[in-house]
Each structure stands twice: as structure tokens, then as C-alpha cells.
Amino acid sequence: MAFQYDRYIRGGKLPHIWCPGCTYGIVFKSLLRVVDTLAISKDDIALVSGIGCASRLPGYVDFNTLHTTHGRALGFATGIKMARPDKHVMVVSGDGDATAIGGNHFIHACRRNIDITVLVFNNYIYGMTGGQYSPTTPSGHMASTMPYGNVDPSFNIPELAKGAGASFVARGTAYHAAGLDKLLIEAIRHKGLSVVEIINACPTTHGRRNKFKSPTDMLLWMKDTFMPVAAFEKLPPEKTAGKFPIGVLYRKEGLPEYCETYYGLVERLKRQREGRV
Amino acid sequence: MGKIKLLQGNEACAEGALYAGCTFFGGYPITPSTEVAEYMAKRLPQIGGAFLQMEDEIAAMAAVIGGALAGKKALTATSGPGFSLKQENIGFAALTEIPCVIVNVMRGGPSTGVPTGPGQSDIMQCRWGTHGDHPVICLTPAYVQEIFSETVRAFNLAEKYRTPVIIAFDEIVGHMRERIEIPDPGVLPVQDRTKPTCPPSEYLPYDESKGDVPPMANFFEGYRYHVTGLNHGSDGFPVNASPRIHTDELRLLRKVESNRADIVRFEEYLLEDAEVAVFAYGISGRSAKTAVEAARKAGIKAGLFRPLTIWPFPEAQVAALSARVKGIVVPELSLGQIILEVDRCAKGRCRIEGIYRVDGDPINPAQILAKVKEAN
């Protein structure tokens, strides 16, 4: 039987705001399937976002949902997780939201290794405001604020996350949707901060300016550009130019998780007090 | 019988928060407010509460709102530059109606200014700091004991009206040590947010038909709902159509405006027969009290109006006062901010004289006395 998305989508809240050809719907559906697979109660999830196209996703799903200020989703999410460490806290964010205006919160959430799952929808552009270049816009690409081609070097989000201390880092794409389900399952199961960069397409504000003739071309570009990390690592360096790995790129189990460490301290103080009595 | 302690204003603020049931602090170090964070860092782990030092002031404000939405009473403390950084998220809390308390221990200056000196020049920022029209409650205690009790009141007002509440006091009161009594639990009233009693399927988080302050569900309690900083309908989902935005923003203001009798608190000292009044809050209010006493000794009928609630501004009280005195003297550690409000309410019924100082020192009673004599 086909998956019943309606069980997770809020009645009357569709259609969504995303443009025809946008790949966010693919990721959206993956997230719902994954929550179902993991059998997490809808009451036990807080889905937090900032500002941008990706950040509109929480409005459509029947969880506890919080659509905050630009770049700050991780600050809000950290507060929620510290208040209720027994609950699942997830963040959806775009490339600009997570790594430009929210870059400081991103690296510090990674450093703390707090048990939050962060999905970064990377469509290489500020879509909602009409196609301005973001920290992930490739060099040379056209954007409304780079009308002569992007001169700004770009972030590699998984490397940024790993360098900042995230204990689980993965990358998937909207094209490799089946693989995305598996990555999200692993990310949510992981204890600690997990980052999944999800490559997405914005045909409206990125593709049209950059010689992608159709949304399909952008998906085919994903197919040609991204390959499983195991295969990627076997290639000699001259053959990896312009290619990127997908899959679990970095994982370190057993690192102290922030809430466990903090509430472990609370327990220790409690025992000390009782011992004294 | 409560506990007698010798505490700094900042510490008393932390104690007041704990008395009110605060179990969540998110902050960032900044002079001269840091002792609030330090005190909470020590105390919260002892009682199972959450303490977070975040990566910046913005994240600290965000974490506080997140903690509050997840059911905690949450506090942050900051000073001038940090207060500026928090503004966007303070507006978010106002529009989404998430209760929380923000302490601003005021120092001097625009920019970095005078980090170690007192100031009162954030007082308009307390009212108008975040963009857009929004409700504000701001309290201005002047004594260490009062910082304690007003912090309890700040949490109560935040919970009662589902709104952020600011406590603004200056560096001197924040760092001054005074003897205070911390009452036993139950002596001061402690208020919690009103939660919904309807089934989750019927819950509307911003249902104006439930009154100006609709019940608030915490996250994870079965009432799955949406919170957004966009203007929203009674169900919490974005609305960009007239007339809902207009009527809902009016409701937000009404939460404060129609409850002035409950929110506005002030001290009137020797005002019954006064011919000259001093309007002053915080450390300037303390200097003013001494000046008023000295004026009385000199045969001048002077009195003090000292607001404990500066926002909403005690409009009716100042209007009435202006009708029965010759003049109102307004000493403040700024170049003339709150005097604009006094002037607005006095409507030309009496003289208004300001005393301004922004050099890192307080206004002394002699300065105020001289101006009182002038205004008499």
C-alpha cells in the first residue's frame, strides 16, 4: 500500500509555497516516511526552522512546529532540547539560513554535540528573496546580486560541520531519494548533533540563470555530480574533480552529548547533597 | 520568617527569578549584568534547571524563548550592546506570545560606551527596540529588595499576559549590596501560564474569542500547534490578509493597555501637598528621594513620583500630577529620554525641567535639589 502521507500532513495547509520544479517536496516526503519508520510519536517531535523556503516546511507537518527568525533556529532548538532532553528536536534550514546569518549558531551547535538533527537544504541560492548568492553558490554562478558571476568562495557544509565538531555528518540529494531515507534514519538515531546536507534544486532563481534548461536538468546534474562515498573514495584524485560524495561522510559514536553531560552534572550534585545529608 | 541576606542587585534578581519558579537561563557574558548569569550558573544545576551560556546574545534570547515554549519559566540578562542584539527575538516573543523575562542592567553610551558605569539611556529602547508595533512591559526597580520582588512580579506578568517582560535597572543598583529578606515560598504570589483545557483537536493557540490572553499550551503536551513570527490567524498559521493582522496586533497591545491597573506600579513619596514633583526611577529615584527630603527641610513642598513600571508609562498618574504641581523635575542618566513622556502627559499644565548626565556617574541629590528650588 502506498505510504499515507496524510497522517503527518496538517489538514488544509497544502498547497505548499514551493515553486513548480522545486525539489523540497521530495525531501519533505522523505522526512515523513522516516518519522513513520522510526515510529516516533508526533507529540514527541519539535521541528524548528528559521527563515527561507525550506523553513516553511514545519507549517505543513503535524508535529510541534516552530518557525523562528532568520538564522536562529538552532538557538531556539537548543533551548527546547535543554528544556526537554527526552524529546526529538529537529531543525530544517537553508544554505543561507544555516551557514550565513546562522553560521555562528551552526558551528556552536556542532561543537556542543547536542542531540539535534539538522537538515540543511542546500539549493545554492537565496530562493525566497529572488536569487541572491549564498555561502554555497558555486564560483562563477550567476545570481541577482552577482550579475557578472559569483566571486565569493563557497562553503563545503559537511566539512564545516565536521570541523566544528558535529559527530554525524552526511550528505544526500533530492535525486537520490531512497538513499536519503536511510541517511535521515541514521541521523535521527544518532546520539549527538547530526548534520545532513541535502542537495536541492531551485529552478526558479538558480537554474534559470545558470543554463539549466529545466528542473529535470538540475536533477540529472545531481545524478552526474554526486556519487556514493565508497565509490568516490576509490577514485584517483584526477577523477574526483567536480564530483562530490554522498552518504555518511563522518561519524563518531560515544562522544559526550551535551544534555547528557549537563544533566549528569545535575545528578552528581544531587548525589553529593544527599550524601552530605 | 524569610531569609536575611546581603546581596548585590544582580544576585537578588537571580534569587527573585528562582523564587518565581524560573528553571531556565540562557545568557552571554556582558558587563555589568554578568553576575546574574554567574549566580544562575551555580544555582540552576543544583535544582535541576537548565543553564546555557550561548554563543552570542541572539542565540541566548532564542534559547530562552525555546525553553519557555517547552514549558519552562526562562530568564536572560544582558546590558546595552547585548540588549540591542536581542531585539529581533524579543519581538518574536511578543508576536508569538511566549512568556519570558529579559533583564537589562543599563550602562552608559551608544556602542560600547561605558561598560562599568550606570546609564538610563536604554529606556526608549526598552519600549521601541524591536521593529513593529508590539506590547511591552518594563519594570524599573531601584533597591536590591525591590529588584528581588519586581523580578518575581516580572515573571508573573509574563506568564499572566503571555508576553516578554523587561526589567531595566542601572549598573549602580545592579552592583550595590544591600540587606534583603527573601520571603518564604508562598508569601509572594507566583503565577503560572494558563493552559488549555479543551481537547487538542479544538485548541487554537491565538483564539481571540478566549479573551485577550488565550491559553498557552507547551510543546510536547499533546497540543501540536504551529508557532511563527509571521502574522498569524487564531490557529497560529500565517495570515497576510486584512483585517486579521490589524485586529490581532490591536489585541496584543490591549493585553497591556487594558490592564494598566494591574501592571502599572509606582511609589508616591510626600506628594500629597507637593508643589514641586520629581519624576525619577532607578538610581536617579534614590537620589531624588534624598533631594526631596532636603527640600522639605528647606521649606519647599517637594515630592517624588517613582515609577516601578516604566512601560506602559504611568500616563494618567503623571497627567494628574501635572495638574496640581508647579513643576516636575526629571533627572535621568541620559540626554533626555523619559522626560519626553513626562512632557507628553503633562500637556503644558506645569513646568518640566530635566537634569541629564551621561558621564558614568549618578546624578547627586544636590543637583536635583538645586533644580527643585528653581522649579518652585
Side-chain angles (χ1 to χ4, degrees):
Chain A
M1 199 177 89
F3 186 80
Q4 298 293 303
Y5 293 100
D6 286 354
R7 283 186 293 152
Y8 293 96
I9 295 174
R10 283 177 166 139
K13 298 309 167 196
L14 294 180
H16 54 66
I17 63 153
W18 302 319
C19 301
C22 171
T23 52
Y24 284 0
I26 298 170
V27 185
F28 176 42
K29 290 169 78 175
S30 176
L31 178 64
L32 301 187
R33 290 192 300 270
V34 163
V35 166
D36 191 72
T37 302
L38 292 172
I40 306 171
S41 163
K42 294 189 282 188
D43 284 331
D44 292 340
I45 303 176
L47 188 62
V48 186
S49 66
I51 294 292
C53 293
S55 292
R56 288 302 189 94
L57 189 153
Y60 308 127
V61 292
D62 189 19
F63 306 147
N64 303 283
T65 55
L66 177 60
H67 175 219
T68 71
T69 47
H70 197 15
R72 319 303 175 197
L74 273 164
F76 286 83
T78 299
I80 292 172
K81 185 69 185 176
M82 272 293 274
R84 293 301 302 269
D86 54 326
K87 303 298 181 187
H88 287 273
V89 180
M90 295 186 221
V91 167
V92 289
S93 190
D95 40 301
D97 193 53
T99 69
I101 191 166
N104 197 32
H105 313 307
F106 183 77
I107 58 173
H108 286 277
C110 292
R111 173 180 62 83
R112 282 186 200 102
N113 196 35
I114 188 166
D115 189 24
I116 295 172
T117 308
V118 187
L119 311 183
V120 184
F121 289 43
N122 180 7
N123 63 358
Y124 302 101
I125 206 81
Y126 283 90
M128 185 167 269
T129 45
Q132 297 75 35
Y133 73 101
S134 86
T136 60
T137 304
S139 295
H141 274 220
M142 306 300 270
S144 72
T145 47
M146 279 290 176
Y148 310 107
N150 185 18
V151 300
D152 217 8
S154 55
F155 266 144
N156 179 325
I157 292 175
E159 292 294 333
L160 178 66
K162 182 185 165 192
S167 53
F168 181 100
V169 180
R171 180 192 281 130
T173 87
Y175 175 82
H176 303 86
L180 187 57
D181 284 24
K182 289 180 196 149
L183 288 182
L184 295 186
I185 287 170
E186 288 198 58
I188 293 169
R189 280 188 176 147
H190 176 78
K191 188 85 179 171
L193 191 107
S194 44
V195 174
V196 185
E197 180 193 36
I198 305 159
I199 305 300
N200 276 283
C202 178
T204 305
T205 72
H206 180 232
R208 289 194 301 180
R209 281 197 182 91
N210 288 284
K211 296 180 182 161
F212 289 102
K213 290 211 170 73
S214 73
T216 318
D217 282 357
M218 300 186 83
L219 284 160
L220 291 172
W221 173 80
M222 289 180 207
K223 181 190 174 194
D224 295 340
T225 305
F226 296 89
M227 57 169 59
V229 61
F232 181 87
E233 283 172 350
K234 280 184 196 144
L235 288 178
E238 64 273 16
K239 293 211 171 163
T240 59
K243 306 276 187 193
F244 295 93
I246 52 173
V248 179
L249 304 182
Y250 177 75
R251 175 177 7 213
K252 184 135 188 182
E253 300 292 350
L255 288 178
E257 190 276 328
Y258 191 77
C259 296
E260 280 190 354
T261 306
Y262 180 85
Y263 286 101
L265 162 72
V266 166
E267 278 306 308
R268 183 158 61 81
L269 292 174
K270 196 176 161 195
R271 281 199 303 274
Q272 277 176 8
R273 264 197 319 279
E274 286 164 357
R276 212 176 291 150
V277 173
Chain B
M1 185 61 200
K3 275 182 288 185
I4 305 296
K5 289 196 171 193
L6 179 69
L7 288 184
Q8 199 186 51
N10 286 344
E11 295 167 343
C13 176
E15 280 288 356
L18 294 167
Y19 188 95
C22 170
T23 55
F24 191 105
F25 183 92
Y28 186 83
I30 185 166
T31 304
S33 77
T34 308
E35 294 84 2
V36 182
E38 288 174 339
Y39 204 85
M40 293 303 260
K42 188 174 178 190
R43 292 285 286 116
L44 281 174
Q46 293 174 346
I47 62 165
F51 175 88
L52 276 169
Q53 181 173 308
M54 294 298 284
E55 57 273 15
D56 60 26
E57 296 277 5
I58 301 168
M61 192 64 228
V64 158
I65 298 169
L69 186 57
K72 307 294 182 191
K73 290 186 183 179
L75 175 74
T76 188
T78 188
S79 299
F83 191 57
S84 294
L85 287 167
K86 288 188 189 304
Q87 292 300 333
E88 185 188 9
N89 283 341
I90 293 174
F92 181 88
L95 185 74
T96 57
E97 300 179 69
I98 298 173
C100 53
V101 176
I102 302 109
V103 178
N104 177 13
V105 186
M106 291 187 287
R107 63 195 225 184
S111 190
T112 311
V114 191
T116 52
Q120 296 182 311
S121 54
D122 299 351
I123 208 67
M124 283 294 177
Q125 194 188 14
C126 290
R127 177 63 192 92
W128 297 110
T130 196
H131 56 280
D133 294 301
H134 55 277
V136 165
I137 297 174
C138 177
L139 312 181
T140 49
Y143 301 84
V144 174
Q145 182 76 53
E146 207 170 71
I147 289 176
F148 175 88
S149 56
E150 287 300 285
T151 303
V152 176
R153 189 164 79 97
F155 274 96
N156 289 345
L157 292 170
E159 295 285 318
K160 185 173 183 181
Y161 296 110
R162 272 187 83 173
T163 196
V165 174
I166 297 164
I167 309 171
F169 51 88
D170 50 83
E171 181 274 336
I172 295 178
V173 191
H175 282 159
M176 179 186 291
R177 286 183 188 277
E178 289 181 302
R179 175 190 185 276
I180 76 161
E181 181 186 337
I182 295 176
D184 290 330
V187 173
L188 295 182
V190 166
Q191 184 144 10
D192 297 329
R193 64 195 66 167
T194 303
K195 289 193 188 178
T197 50
C198 63
S201 59
E202 291 169 19
Y203 179 58
L204 295 170
Y206 305 102
D207 182 2
E208 64 280 12
S209 74
K210 297 280 190 294
D212 287 343
V213 190
M216 176 182 170
N218 298 326
F219 269 18
F220 309 118
E221 292 181 352
Y223 293 86
R224 296 186 302 275
Y225 68 104
H226 188 52
V227 177
T228 176
L230 289 161
N231 282 92
H232 38 260
S234 54
D235 59 2
F237 291 94
V239 161
N240 57 7
S242 181
R244 166 75 191 185
I245 297 169
H246 191 85
T247 57
D248 203 44
E249 289 208 9
L250 285 176
R251 176 180 64 80
L252 292 184
L253 297 189
R254 211 162 51 231
K255 290 198 295 185
V256 171
E257 288 300 321
S258 65
N259 291 293
R260 281 174 169 270
D262 182 41
I263 297 168
V264 173
R265 189 181 283 184
F266 48 86
E267 183 197 9
E268 288 180 303
Y269 182 64
L270 305 176
L271 272 183
E272 302 79 18
D273 62 341
E275 292 174 353
V276 181
V278 183
F279 179 101
Y281 64 95
I283 189 63
S284 304
R286 296 181 66 148
S287 290
K289 188 172 265 185
T290 306
V292 161
E293 285 166 354
R296 287 273 169 176
K297 276 182 194 153
I300 300 167
K301 287 183 177 172
L304 170 67
F305 186 95
R306 188 172 66 86
L308 277 81
T309 308
I310 201 85
W311 306 116
F313 192 75
E315 292 171 356
Q317 291 79 6
V318 172
L321 182 64
S322 68
R324 58 190 167 91
V325 295
K326 288 188 274 187
I328 301 177
V329 175
V330 186
E332 54 178 321
L333 297 177
S334 78
L335 293 178
Q337 293 192 17
I338 208 63
I339 192 172
L340 301 173
E341 286 293 294
V342 176
D343 199 41
R344 177 175 71 83
C345 297
K347 287 191 166 60
R349 284 181 287 253
C350 70
R351 279 177 69 182
I352 307 292
E353 294 285 342
I355 305 172
Y356 311 133
R357 185 163 192 179
V358 291
D359 59 359
D361 278 320
I363 294 167
N364 62 46
Q367 279 178 284
I368 301 171
L369 179 60
K371 196 64 99 176
V372 164
K373 284 178 177 166
E374 236 175 80
N376 187 36

